[in-house]
Amino acid sequence: MNYSNIQTEDPALYEILKREEQRQKEGIELIASENYVSRAVLEAMGSVLTNKYSEGYPGKRYYGGNAIVDEAENLAIARAKELFGAEHVNVQPLSGSPANLAVYMALLNPGDKVLGFSLDQGGHLSHGHPLNFSGKLYTIIPYFLHKEDEVIDMDEVEAIAVREKPKMILAGFSAYSRSLDWQRFRAIADKVGAFLFADIAHIAGLIAGKQLENPVPICDVVSTTTHKTLRGPRGAMIMCKEQFAAAINKTVFPGVQGGPHDHITAAKAVAYGEALKPEFQDYAKQVIKNAQALAAALQQKGYRIVSGGTENHLMLVDSFGSKGITGKEAETALDKAGISINKNMIPYDPRKPLDPSGIRIGTPALTTRGCREADMQAVADLMDEALASRTDETRLAAIKEKVKTFSLRFPVPGIE
Ligand SMILES: *Cc1c(COP(=O)(O)O)cnc(C)c1O
């Protein structure tokens, strides 16, 4: 992207874009939900498909002129089916939260009971936060981690399900470093007659890259964002068994949304095409290897990793428990050093959400830039140095220079 037209027609925005490009190039990106898309995905997002209105679905639109858009949407659907072995796919959800709203609306009535992973232990806002539609419209019953090993206690999930008889069980997370036992969730859902809904927003790329077990054949409905490990445009999709296809399509449109974003649909098709290539499996494998190398390097330096390690792309670091550094202090210091992370509650956190005990970090973005295990040692060194120097602005500025030198060795795909 050279932005030459923005440069001449809108210098103010051009300058903002250039500074953000520079930030992305010079910083270490460890936010577990972020990634860098390819140039091809960027080009699709910047295409003229944004000019089109196509309410409805391929072959059944409420506007004319959609024959070509239909081809783009059908391409995205066919590739998603191939990638995940899905019976039915809806690629129109604008993002993860509206996708989840559509799933709730398709399977439940307001007030129905939903079993979901406790938000302060790793669940997502759309899994029952009191200010989110999910918490306002549905009766959310949380399940928790086992306090000792910090792994989801499936026996407790079963006991709660038997006691509460939820209409839907939601399996998925934004901050959990262990694999989910999909078959056990299936067995529990069957035992109590609940729908099983998996939200794989964080791990979709690791599943598509064949490194984690695929829940799509096991669950009734699966939603995912497309912009995290899957490395596509910001957006989402819903996959389901054929029996739920009509209900899901109806709640996405006209239930929740109007016209789909066809340029984003096209970019999803491009990203799914990339994920179908064998190289994407190497990428997914390296993401996990890097996360495990980073966890080990931080543990070596005395940081406690929640649950003792990671089986996916992310981990929670108990910075307060191991070093007396709160999540907020860590986020601020690392930010000053050019390292992006987010503060995060740890399970059974004694502290408050705005200044919790930990941070969440992940390796999808750095792995896209080509970092490998040895580079994770360097990242851990830089993090530890910044955290140890958290009250020393001069030191933090010097570390930021080192972070820049490190980062510039690894090109960002969309930036010259
Ligand atoms: C990121 C995420 C979402 C929501 O995605 P948005 O696109 O930000 O709305 C939903 N569920 C889970 C588990 C997520 O991690």
Side-chain angles (χ1 to χ4, degrees), residues 95-98 100 124 126-127 172-174 199 201-202 225 227-228 235:
S95 217
S97 296
N100 288 352
H124 184 260
S126 59
H127 301 180
F173 56 79
S174 299
D199 178 351
H202 260 265
T225 56
H227 49 270
K228 297 178 184 175

Side-chain angles (χ1 to χ4, degrees), residues 85-285:
E87 290 179 17
H88 174 78
V89 181
N90 185 312
V91 294
Q92 293 191 5
L94 302 178
S95 217
S97 296
N100 288 352
L101 172 58
V103 175
Y104 282 83
M105 282 177 62
L107 301 181
L108 308 172
N109 292 309
D112 280 349
K113 266 188 198 171
V114 177
L115 207 61
F117 187 22
S118 164
L119 301 195
D120 53 17
Q121 296 195 352
H124 184 260
L125 290 177
S126 59
H127 301 180
H129 190 281
L131 295 178
N132 184 267
F133 75 84
S134 51
K136 282 185 182 291
L137 296 179
Y138 303 94
T139 308
I140 307 285
I141 314 287
Y143 55 87
F144 300 94
L145 297 174
H146 202 263
K147 206 162 183 172
E148 278 70 50
D149 59 8
E150 297 170 306
V151 172
I152 292 174
D153 186 338
M154 293 307 290
D155 293 334
E156 201 206 346
V157 174
E158 179 164 346
I160 300 173
V162 167
R163 188 178 69 230
E164 299 283 348
K165 299 254 175 303
K167 191 147 173 212
M168 181 172 89
I169 298 177
L170 206 177
F173 56 79
S174 299
Y176 183 62
S177 62
R178 296 293 166 181
S179 296
L180 295 183
D181 186 346
W182 303 114
Q183 293 292 1
R184 183 79 193 274
F185 272 110
R186 179 76 263 173
I188 295 169
D190 288 345
K191 183 171 176 182
V192 303
F195 296 120
L196 181 57
F197 168 31
D199 178 351
I200 58 168
H202 260 265
I203 50 174
L206 306 179
I207 294 165
K210 303 206 186 311
Q211 304 306 309
L212 295 182
E213 191 188 6
N214 181 9
V216 173
I218 301 168
C219 300
D220 297 307
V221 181
V222 177
S223 72
T224 181
T225 56
T226 45
H227 49 270
K228 297 178 184 175
T229 50
L230 196 48
R231 215 161 66 182
R234 303 202 82 74
M237 71 170 153
I238 300 170
M239 297 171 275
C240 65
K241 297 276 184 266
E242 197 55 51
Q243 70 181 107
F244 303 103
I248 290 290
N249 278 2
K250 225 171 20 188
T251 53
V252 171
F253 171 83
V256 173
Q257 298 181 175
H261 293 184
D262 297 320
H263 57 310
I264 300 299
T265 302
K268 287 172 186 171
V270 174
Y272 302 160
E274 291 173 356
L276 281 165
K277 292 188 180 142
E279 301 92 277
F280 195 80
Q281 294 178 27
D282 300 335
Y283 166 68
K285 188 180 283 180

Side-chain angles (χ1 to χ4, degrees), residues 1 37-47 231 233 263 266-271 274 277 413-414:
M1 292 270 168
V37 297
S38 68
R39 281 169 175 275
V41 168
L42 278 178
E43 284 175 4
M45 280 192 275
S47 71
R231 215 161 66 182
H263 57 310
K268 287 172 186 171
V270 174
E274 291 173 356
K277 292 188 180 142

